[in-house]
């Protein structure tokens, strides 16, 4: 089945054994992540979600699933964090496990993120080896390294993406191998992939694995595999052991935070903070009260607006264009769109003209249409759906079409969620990469067949247009320009990676839809906060910082996040709730140097709290402090 895939590929001379290739790719990814951070800076949390994941990693690094609720928890109430009944992140634990590994082994949580990236690249290569062949799997690993592996928000922020991509690659790679041969090793890896998905992106993981599961069960019943002893000993038993262990640990994590093994922290957080549910087809929850106007603004105003937009057909249509654009830019971009659309242009018959028409229509709408027109945006959405349908036609074969159908199914979820980010799709990321590499393979093997036979029957015409018929036979000469284009695309992907880093170094402008627009910024409030944290950590006495925002404050710039062991941390960040209420917290935390921070403006300053409240302990000179080098982090 994979003979032509394995025998001819652009990296044939670079092939070692598949295991060596995967190991080298993982090491190269780890070193590449470190090199990018060395050129720019170590990742620091910026997005609300990142702080939540860092708290989760810190909690796990301390050897526990949750932390005791702090006294006067309203001072520490912040986004995506539970402060009652325990102090913990709301997120599923997979990303936090990697962060904890990096923190525990090296003292740098970012190393755990880089490790997840290295493992995801290696696992994706392992998946591609059976889906398309070892040579093309090596090419796929190189593309993943260049596109996401060393410089993307998946690999250089704490926001997540790589653990779910790792779980999806393990699951799809194992499922494909089990289709051909029942093996306890692949069964164990399938179960491991499922456990990772359940603890990173459970819903999207379920949608991604649903089609292959249905077809695999059908395959088992059709071939009568369930009657064989190997089915139970090599498939069911190993999978059930690992799944049971994973379920026990997941339920233990849930119980430590929510009190119920069946209730994940995400649901408890939704009950406490979110009036607007995650899915637009669900009804609003009860009216809630919030301890801070800033917390209320995110959950009661911003999320409510997104929820209502997804329930408004007009706003839904206009929002889908933005979603499709951001998804396309992250997973394909201009360069990796070529192997998805060129095979259609190389086909004979009406498919070639349909593909050309779709591309022209999409380009015209994107560059010249009125962005405020609901009708034109609706047409754009229909054209995108038409392109997906065309991929189904062009990429013939069971496994390519399974990849196309699964991609469409997981994308369908974006119609119903308030927020959509590219890492939501991560469980199916390996399938998009597979389709891109499959497109490159078809370009590499394309044969123009100048003397092609004019087929008379529809079946013969389809056979003449198939990729197998257009693959050069022994003694035939393939077209050279598609092969040169494949090599050029690889070179341009490498240039694109260098350009991304150069763009960040020199501060070149980036598009609003660029998914990495917030990655490793060199001038940003998050670096200021990290520098303040670093400076305060070096003070001889424990520190307490009250944060006071102006009415114009951007809620995306949140300073109030803390370590897992909050009461014993060197630095504690707290919300300013007024002089009288602040005194209660100061009394709860004696012997701390107390500051007030007003983070608005370019150079935030720490103001000794005794200037605000003369009754507060005066432990520092009464003058503001602005730590030097706020854009430079020592690590």
């Amino acid at each position: 089945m994979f003979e032509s895939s394995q025998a001819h590929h652009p990296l044939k001379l670079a092939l070692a054994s598949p295991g060596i290739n995967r190991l080298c790719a993982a090491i190269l990814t780890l070193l590449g992540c470190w090199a990018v951070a060395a050129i720019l800076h170590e990742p620091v949390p910026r997005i609300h979600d990142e702080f939540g994941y860092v708290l989760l990693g810190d909690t796990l690094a301390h050897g526990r699933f949750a932390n005791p609720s702090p006294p006067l928890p309203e001072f520490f109430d912040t986004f995506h964090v539970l402060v009652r009944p325990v102090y913990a992140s709301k997120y599923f634990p997979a990303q936090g496990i990697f962060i904890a590994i990096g923190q525990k082994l090296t003292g740098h949580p970012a190393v755990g993120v880089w490790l997840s990236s290295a493992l995801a690249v290696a696992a994706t290569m392992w998946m591609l080896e059976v889906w398309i062949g070892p040579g093309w799997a090596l090419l796929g690993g190189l593309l993943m390294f260049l596109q996401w592996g060393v410089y993307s928000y998946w690999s250089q922020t704490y926001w997540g993406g790589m653990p779910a991509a790792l779980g999806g690659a393990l699951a799809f790679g194992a499922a494909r191998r089990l289709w051909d041969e029942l093996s306890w090793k692949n069964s164990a890896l399938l179960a491991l992939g499922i456990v990772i998905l359940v603890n990173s992106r459970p819903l999207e993981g379920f949608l991604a694995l649903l089609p292959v599961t249905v077809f695999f069960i059908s395959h088992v019943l059709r071939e009568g595999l369930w009657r064989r002893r190997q089915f139970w000993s090599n498939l069911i038993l190993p999978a059930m052991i690992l799944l049971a262990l994973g379920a026990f640990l997941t339920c233990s994590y849930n119980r430590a935070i929510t009190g119920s093994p069946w209730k994940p922290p995400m649901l408890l957080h939704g009950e406490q903070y979110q009036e607007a549910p995650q899915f637009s087809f669900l009804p609003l929850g009860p009216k809630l009260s919030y301890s801070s106007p800033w917390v209320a603004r995110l959950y009661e105003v911003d999320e409510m607006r997104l929820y209502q937009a997804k329930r408004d057909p007009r706003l839904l249509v206009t929002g889908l264009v933005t979603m499709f654009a951001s998804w396309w830019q992250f997973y394909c971009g201009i360069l990796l769109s070529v192997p998805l659309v060129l095979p259609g242009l190389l086909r004979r018959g009406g498919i070639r003209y349909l593909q050309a028409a779709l591309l022209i229509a999409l380009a015209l709408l994107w560059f010249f249409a009125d962005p405020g027109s609901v009708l034109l945006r609706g047409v754009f959405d229909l054209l995108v759906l038409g392109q997906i349908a065309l991929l189904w036609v062009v990429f013939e074969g069971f496994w390519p079409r399974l990849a196309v159908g699964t991609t469409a199914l997981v994308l369908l979820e974006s119609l119903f969620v308030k927020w959509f980010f590219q890492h939501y799709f991560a469980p199916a990321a390996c399938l998009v990469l597979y389709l891109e590499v499959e497109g490159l393979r078809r370009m590499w093997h394309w044969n123009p067949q100048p003397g092609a036979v004019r087929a008379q029957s529809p079946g013969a015409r389809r056979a003449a247009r198939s990729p197998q018929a257009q693959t050069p036979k022994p003694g035939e000469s393939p077209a050279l320009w598609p092969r040169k284009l494949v090599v050029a695309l690889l070179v341009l992907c490498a240039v694109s990676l260098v350009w991304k880093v150069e763009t960040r170094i020199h501060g070149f402008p980036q598009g609003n839809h660029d998914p990495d627009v917030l990655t490793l910024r060199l001038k940003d409030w998050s670096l200021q906060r990290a520098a303040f944290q670093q400076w305060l950590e070096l003070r001889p006495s424990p520190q307490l910082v009250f944060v006071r925002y102006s009415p114009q404050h951007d809620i995306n710039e949140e300073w109030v996040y803390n370590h897992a062991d909050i009461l014993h941390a060197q630095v504690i960040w707290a919300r300013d709730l007024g002089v009288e209420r602040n005194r209660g917290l100061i009394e709860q935390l004696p012997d701390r140097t107390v500051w007030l921070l007003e983070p608005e403006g370019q150079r935030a300053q720490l103001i000794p709290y005794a200037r605000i409240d003369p009754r507060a302990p005066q432990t520092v000179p009464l003058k503001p402090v602005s730590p030097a080098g706020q854009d430079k982090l020592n690590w």
Side-chain angles (χ1 to χ4, degrees):
M1 179 177 181
F2 299 111
E3 181 179 354
S4 62
S5 302
Q6 297 174 4
H8 305 283
H9 45 77
L11 297 178
K12 182 178 180 181
L13 297 180
L15 268 179
S17 70
I20 295 297
N21 288 337
R22 294 193 297 270
L23 178 62
C24 291
I27 295 173
L28 185 63
T29 301
L30 199 60
L31 294 176
C33 289
W34 173 83
V36 169
I39 294 171
L40 298 172
H41 61 79
E42 182 179 11
V44 297
R46 184 189 194 281
I47 307 298
H48 301 154
D49 309 59
E50 293 185 79
F51 287 102
Y53 281 120
V54 169
L55 170 62
L56 174 55
D58 192 23
T59 302
L60 295 174
H62 280 79
R64 53 180 180 262
F65 289 145
N67 310 285
S69 181
L72 303 176
E74 61 271 15
F75 283 94
F76 313 107
D77 204 3
T78 189
F79 307 117
H80 307 329
V81 170
L82 291 161
V83 292
R84 302 181 184 90
V86 295
Y87 171 50
S89 170
K90 76 171 187 178
Y91 289 108
F92 297 98
Q95 174 79 351
I97 291 173
F98 283 103
I99 293 174
I101 291 172
Q103 178 175 324
K104 199 71 175 176
L105 295 182
T106 68
H108 296 277
V111 175
V113 179
W114 301 340
L115 176 62
S116 70
S117 184
L119 292 177
V121 170
T124 302
M125 289 178 61
W126 179 77
M127 173 263 185
L128 291 174
E129 285 166 13
V130 69
W131 279 67
I132 198 169
W136 293 99
L138 180 58
L139 179 65
L142 177 60
L143 288 178
M144 188 171 180
F145 169 87
L146 296 173
Q147 292 296 107
W148 313 323
V150 299
Y151 184 82
S152 73
Y153 85 91
W154 285 13
S155 56
Q156 295 292 355
T157 75
Y158 301 100
W159 207 351
M162 285 302 182
L166 167 63
L170 289 175
F172 283 108
R176 179 66 185 89
R177 286 170 169 83
L178 289 169
W179 189 283
D180 294 330
E181 181 183 2
L182 299 178
S183 161
W184 70 267
K185 292 182 180 179
N186 292 322
S187 176
L189 289 172
L190 173 63
L192 178 61
I194 293 173
V195 170
I196 294 174
L197 289 176
V198 167
N199 288 281
S200 54
R201 304 297 316 175
L203 177 58
E204 294 84 0
F206 169 78
L207 293 176
L209 294 181
L210 181 60
V212 72
T213 301
V214 171
F215 284 114
F216 186 80
I217 293 174
S218 175
H219 172 69
V220 167
L221 295 176
R222 184 174 59 252
E223 300 295 329
L225 299 181
W226 61 275
R227 299 189 183 94
R228 302 179 186 177
R229 182 177 60 84
Q230 292 86 349
F231 175 79
W232 301 98
S233 61
N234 290 0
L235 175 62
I236 299 299
L237 182 61
M240 294 309 298
I241 292 174
L242 272 181
L243 289 175
L245 178 60
F248 172 76
L249 294 174
T250 301
C251 291
S252 300
Y253 174 77
N254 293 341
R255 189 173 185 273
I257 298 175
T258 69
S260 169
W262 318 114
K263 187 175 188 178
M266 189 80 72
L267 291 183
L268 179 61
H269 183 274
E271 293 174 358
Q272 293 186 4
Y273 291 93
Q274 294 173 301
E275 299 175 13
Q278 175 69 3
F279 298 99
S280 59
F281 54 79
L282 296 176
L284 284 173
K287 190 70 176 177
L288 301 174
S289 59
Y290 300 93
S291 62
S292 163
W294 305 107
V295 176
R297 182 175 168 184
L298 176 68
Y299 295 118
E300 196 173 40
V301 178
D302 290 5
E303 288 203 356
M304 184 67 70
R305 184 175 64 251
L306 290 169
Y307 169 79
Q308 292 171 345
K310 282 299 180 77
R311 293 173 70 90
D312 184 332
R314 182 180 61 87
L315 296 177
L316 175 62
V317 168
T318 56
L320 279 180
V321 173
T322 303
M323 187 278 295
F324 280 133
S326 63
W327 182 92
W328 168 81
Q329 190 161 357
F330 184 81
Y331 285 97
C332 305
I334 295 176
L335 296 178
L336 292 184
S337 294
V338 173
L340 295 179
V341 300
L342 191 57
L345 295 173
L346 296 177
R347 292 282 291 267
R348 294 181 176 81
I351 289 180
R352 170 184 296 177
Y353 304 108
L354 180 57
Q355 178 66 86
L358 275 173
L359 290 178
I360 294 171
L362 285 168
L364 290 175
L365 281 177
W366 182 255
F367 289 107
F368 301 109
D370 178 9
S373 172
V374 177
L375 176 61
L376 293 180
R377 283 185 170 237
V379 173
F380 185 91
D381 295 337
L382 292 176
L383 290 175
V384 171
L385 295 177
Q387 179 61 62
I388 295 174
L390 188 60
L391 288 176
W392 175 276
V393 175
V394 172
F395 283 83
E396 295 171 324
F398 175 76
W399 297 104
R401 285 182 171 174
L402 178 67
V404 173
T406 303
T407 298
L409 178 62
V410 180
L411 273 177
L412 182 65
E413 186 211 19
S414 62
L415 296 173
F416 308 105
V417 293
K418 287 182 301 188
W419 304 92
F420 176 80
F421 298 103
Q422 290 78 11
H423 59 278
Y424 290 11
F425 186 84
C430 60
L431 298 182
V432 177
L433 190 62
Y434 160 69
L435 289 172
E436 291 165 348
V437 177
E438 172 65 15
L440 292 173
R441 186 189 71 82
R442 296 183 182 215
M443 291 165 55
W444 187 265
H445 292 305
W446 181 68
N447 179 13
Q449 289 186 312
V453 176
R454 297 182 180 275
Q456 299 299 320
S457 68
R461 285 196 295 269
R462 284 194 299 269
R465 291 194 302 265
S466 68
Q468 291 77 14
Q470 296 184 27
T471 299
K473 305 298 186 296
E476 292 182 345
S477 298
L480 294 180
W481 71 264
R483 295 194 169 193
K484 293 179 180 179
L485 181 56
V486 170
V487 176
L489 286 173
L490 294 178
V491 174
L492 289 174
C493 285
V495 172
S496 174
L497 173 60
V498 175
W499 176 251
K500 289 178 183 178
V501 178
E502 287 293 319
T503 295
R504 182 60 74 224
I505 292 174
H506 298 288
F508 297 149
Q510 294 178 266
N512 293 331
H513 297 303
D514 190 335
D516 298 317
V517 68
L518 302 178
T519 304
L520 297 183
R521 285 187 167 188
L522 296 180
K523 300 287 184 180
D524 192 65
W525 73 272
S526 60
L527 292 180
Q528 283 193 359
R529 185 190 184 281
F532 272 93
Q533 177 82 28
Q534 195 173 74
W535 185 83
L536 291 166
E537 294 278 0
L538 298 175
R539 300 307 96 199
S541 63
Q543 310 287 304
L544 171 62
V545 182
F546 288 103
V547 180
R548 177 186 295 172
Y549 297 130
S550 73
Q552 293 76 34
H553 176 69
D554 183 353
I555 64 169
N556 293 311
E557 300 179 3
E558 179 55 65
W559 289 64
V560 181
Y561 284 99
N562 289 284
H563 291 304
D565 195 3
I566 187 170
L567 295 182
H568 299 96
Q570 171 70 8
V571 183
I572 295 179
W573 301 86
R575 295 195 181 279
D576 172 40
L577 299 181
V579 172
E580 294 299 324
R581 296 181 67 184
N582 290 353
R583 285 175 189 161
L585 183 62
I586 294 173
E587 293 171 358
Q588 289 278 344
L589 302 169
D591 303 323
R592 284 185 176 266
T593 302
V594 187
W595 306 88
L596 177 72
L597 177 72
E598 295 178 330
E600 318 301 337
Q602 294 298 316
R603 304 291 291 186
Q605 291 182 328
L606 289 168
I607 302 171
Y609 196 74
R611 291 182 56 178
I612 309 301
D613 181 7
R615 293 171 55 183
Q618 180 179 335
T619 55
V620 294
L622 294 179
K623 60 180 181 179
V625 175
S626 181
Q630 291 177 347
D631 299 327
K632 302 288 186 180
L633 297 180
N634 299 318
W635 64 287

